[in-house]
Amino acid sequence: MNDNEKKVKEISRIKKAEPVKPVERVSKIESVSRVRQPTLALSAKERQKLLKLLEEEANELVKNGLIPEKDKDVVTKAVEYALTSSFIDDDSDVE
Amino acid sequence: MGKPFSKKNDTEILILENRKWAESIARAVARAWKLDPEVDGLIGSALEALVECANRFDPSRGIPFRAYARRRVHEAACDAARSTKAWAEGQVFSGSLEAKARTTAYELLRRFPELRDGYIPFDREGSSLRSSVRQLLLGATIIYLKESTDSQDSFDFHDYKKLLLAISNLHVAHQWIIWKVYWEGYSLRGLAAEWKADPLTVIREHQAILNYLLGVFNKKQGLSPPKVRPSLKKVISNQKLNLGTVPFLKFLEELGNE
């Protein structure tokens, strides 16, 4: 026998197989709440609220120095125009 | 021979059923931008887009027709608005506040096309309506900044110094996104197509950038610029973009020297 070959000295004893545990029953999945993207299908009152929120946030960003005071009206109006152009009257179908 | 007839009938039905809806989109755009939807041709353009969408619509894809057509119809109405005489009169950026706001709104809709679909741009990682509104305001601010520097109209570097410096602190890959989207006018999906990237990757990176910039102004403690996602790094490497020469830095240097 070649010296380089490894000699099998001992075969380890075959261990007793452990019993297979029963698979636990899958618990009932609770209903998955759907993540919905906010839509612009808003009532007139909700639209007013959104535009008020826009004004509040613009004031906050002016205060924090992001929007220069002199440009606040243009920037706020631009967002308002973009939002209101997407307020469709017949929007009841938007999912 | 039956199928083409059926397709033709389906197309006609789609047009008839959605005609008023397309008109209401044109009216909304006209109302927002204080134009006359009929005189200014917005309704005509919206209806043309409706017909085009009805012809191309493939119901086997499982997308409802209005979800498929809305963005295109809105875009057509906006483009018609932009080519009106009323718009052209205020087209020069040094015009009235209304004209500046209209131009900025038009550009904002190109960067946030979800608005055309009737959705408020929404960070799926749990942002509120308030933070979506902030993102829109920041987007409009960067657009306005870009337009102002182009027109040299009462632009004062110091007014925007903090914002410009915050952008220059971003990873160069993110500076590229800002440059491409706000300076070169790419839509996020258009940029993703050019970079052969997943549009969602570019959209998420853009949101991460805006959140960071807003955080800078809200003086959040321990804020560091967002890391670049590995998928975007791979895209940039594939595109062989020379990250050392992001045009934004050159632009800043030029502004600083003025």
Side-chain angles (χ1 to χ4, degrees):
Chain A
M1 186 183 280
N2 188 333
D3 287 346
N4 291 335
E5 282 180 36
K6 286 181 182 170
K7 289 175 189 169
V8 177
K9 288 178 183 169
E10 193 181 312
I11 296 169
S12 59
R13 220 172 147 179
I14 295 169
K15 286 179 187 165
K16 197 180 169 189
E18 288 187 13
V20 176
K21 286 180 188 164
V23 176
E24 281 178 28
R25 202 173 158 186
V26 177
S27 58
K28 199 178 167 190
I29 297 167
E30 284 178 28
S31 64
V32 177
S33 58
R34 192 176 159 201
V35 178
R36 293 194 67 171
Q37 190 166 7
T39 75
L40 290 165
L42 305 170
S43 66
K45 209 174 170 183
E46 288 169 327
R47 289 175 186 182
Q48 286 307 315
K49 256 188 176 173
L50 178 61
L51 297 180
K52 198 172 163 234
L53 178 68
L54 170 65
E55 190 64 33
E56 281 171 20
E57 285 307 309
N59 287 333
E60 193 65 24
L61 292 177
V62 169
K63 207 170 82 187
N64 293 345
L66 173 62
I67 307 173
E69 176 78 53
K70 68 178 178 55
D71 297 336
K72 184 200 141 196
D73 287 347
V74 175
V75 170
T76 313
K77 268 204 177 304
V79 178
E80 183 188 324
Y81 288 173
L83 286 170
T84 50
S85 79
S86 305
F87 290 157
I88 312 302
D89 291 335
D90 184 15
D91 230 348
S92 52
D93 61 310
V94 176
E95 278 299 310
Chain B
M1 288 298 285
K3 209 173 176 186
F5 270 105
S6 150
K7 165 75 181 155
K8 192 182 168 199
N9 287 341
D10 287 349
T11 304
E12 281 172 3
I13 290 167
L14 278 177
I15 295 168
L16 286 171
E17 281 182 351
N18 293 292
R19 189 192 161 108
K20 285 205 165 148
W21 170 76
E23 286 179 6
S24 71
I25 293 177
R27 285 184 205 286
V29 173
R31 195 168 48 233
W33 292 342
K34 299 177 177 60
L35 299 168
D36 185 321
E38 289 180 45
V39 173
D40 293 322
L42 275 71
I43 287 184
S45 297
L47 292 177
E48 271 177 33
L50 174 71
V51 172
E52 184 195 312
C53 289
N55 280 320
R56 288 186 183 176
F57 182 61
D58 179 0
S60 69
R61 293 192 174 184
I63 303 168
F65 178 72
R66 289 187 180 185
Y68 167 76
R70 180 166 173 155
R71 189 178 291 196
R72 181 67 206 106
V73 172
H74 190 278
E75 204 170 34
C78 290
D79 288 345
R82 211 178 184 205
S83 61
T84 58
K85 202 178 162 201
W87 186 294
E89 281 165 359
Q91 198 178 24
V92 178
F93 204 68
S94 56
S96 65
L97 184 150
E98 294 284 330
K100 290 175 181 176
R102 272 205 292 245
T103 305
T104 309
Y106 179 87
E107 295 297 331
L108 191 66
L109 284 161
R110 292 187 59 229
R111 270 67 166 202
F112 293 90
E114 305 95 320
L115 289 169
R116 295 190 196 280
D117 296 332
Y119 292 106
I120 294 172
F122 177 63
D123 174 357
R124 287 177 194 278
E125 283 155 23
S127 76
S128 62
L129 183 61
R130 195 173 280 277
S131 75
S132 295
V133 168
R134 268 186 227 141
Q135 286 195 3
L136 288 172
L137 281 164
L138 173 56
T141 305
I142 303 176
I143 291 167
Y144 187 64
L145 156 69
K146 191 262 172 189
E147 299 286 345
S148 302
T149 53
D150 280 358
S151 68
Q152 302 288 316
D153 170 44
S154 66
F155 175 72
D156 186 345
F157 173 68
H158 295 285
D159 285 342
Y160 290 96
K161 193 176 173 186
K162 197 174 167 189
L163 175 59
L164 291 164
L165 289 177
I167 296 174
S168 70
N169 276 336
L170 291 166
H171 186 285
V172 278
H174 287 155
Q175 289 182 36
W176 266 106
I177 292 181
I178 292 285
W179 183 265
K180 286 274 183 187
V181 172
Y182 292 93
W183 265 259
E184 293 187 12
Y186 277 79
S187 68
L188 294 173
R189 286 181 189 276
L191 179 59
E194 183 177 283
W195 282 358
K196 297 186 181 69
D198 175 5
L200 268 182
T201 300
V202 178
I203 289 168
R204 283 178 182 154
E205 294 286 332
H206 177 246
Q207 272 176 345
I209 296 167
L210 294 192
N211 281 335
Y212 165 72
L213 294 175
L214 284 166
V216 169
F217 283 90
N218 288 328
K219 298 180 183 97
K220 276 192 183 164
Q221 296 295 316
L223 194 68
S224 50
K227 286 185 179 163
V228 179
R229 286 165 199 255
S231 52
L232 185 68
K233 274 188 186 164
K234 203 174 155 191
V235 165
I236 284 171
S237 152
N238 290 344
Q239 288 295 306
K240 296 187 178 115
L241 285 176
N242 184 350
L243 294 181
T245 57
V246 58
F248 189 76
L249 293 176
K250 196 168 169 254
F251 167 78
L252 261 186
E253 271 175 25
E254 284 169 7
L255 272 185
N257 291 334
E258 274 172 14

